[in-house]
Amino acid sequence: MTYAGDTTPVKTEANPGQATAGGRLARVTAYWAGEGDYYTGKCISATGVHLHDGHCAVDPSIIPYGSVVEIAGVGKYLAVDTGSAVVSRTAAREGGHTSAERNALVVDLFFQSRSEGEKFAAAASKYTSITWWTPASTGMLAQAARSLFAEEDWSKIHSKQL
């Protein structure tokens, strides 16, 4: 069985869809090209992969780069980026009303356009359940999730796993 962070089980082929209570609680935020630092402005992720829709920023000490993150009610995203506010969980700590919300992971979804990012941020649930398949996950479900991102430069992502 694969675990997300502490002891929360993550979907794997041996454990399909049986993550505890649907997964781990996360504060989902949005960012876009032109926002933030030099690299984000140039659509360059922490792994060196060119950012585009379908990518997300995570805390790589919990969710490894190259993982496919499934956000309940939203979709699947490839973990290729990070940021200090994601690692420190700033949005969760500042916006959480309960202890669980303040301690939630932060997943920041990348959008090509600012208008789409702002639209998502305004309409989407702020806190939701997430699960993920790590790059080491095996089985048909993990392979199917990764196949959504087959065009990515996996060598760049794997070089950041060291």
Side-chain angles (χ1 to χ4, degrees):
M1 181 177 298
T2 303
Y3 288 90
D6 307 328
T7 58
T8 306
V10 176
K11 290 182 181 180
T12 65
E13 188 60 22
N15 184 27
Q18 294 180 0
T20 301
R24 184 107 179 241
L25 184 65
R27 169 71 165 94
V28 180
T29 57
Y31 72 117
W32 45 84
E35 176 190 45
D37 64 16
Y38 170 83
Y39 297 100
T40 303
K42 300 286 185 185
C43 293
I44 302 169
S45 71
T47 59
V49 172
H50 184 78
L51 288 167
H52 60 74
D53 292 336
H55 286 161
C56 66
V58 297
D59 180 345
S61 70
I62 298 170
I63 302 174
Y65 291 132
S67 295
V68 176
V69 180
E70 184 171 10
I71 301 169
V74 178
K76 293 180 178 82
Y77 294 81
L78 184 62
V80 299
D81 204 9
T82 193
S84 59
V86 171
V87 173
S88 67
R89 303 181 186 181
T90 302
R93 295 189 197 291
E94 291 178 358
H97 298 291
T98 66
S99 176
E101 288 178 351
R102 287 188 295 278
N103 289 306
L105 298 177
V106 171
V107 176
D108 204 5
L109 306 183
F110 182 80
F111 289 87
Q112 287 290 134
S113 79
R114 179 180 182 149
S115 63
E116 288 299 312
E118 288 175 338
K119 184 174 156 183
F120 172 83
S125 175
K126 304 294 183 219
Y127 292 87
T128 192
S129 178
I130 66 166
T131 54
W132 61 90
W133 291 271
T134 67
S137 297
T138 60
M140 292 187 332
L141 291 175
Q143 290 172 2
R146 278 193 295 276
S147 73
L148 298 171
F149 305 99
E151 76 281 358
E152 297 306 329
D153 186 350
W154 292 102
S155 63
K156 287 182 181 177
I157 293 170
H158 289 294
S159 72
K160 298 294 182 175
Q161 299 295 321
L162 304 173

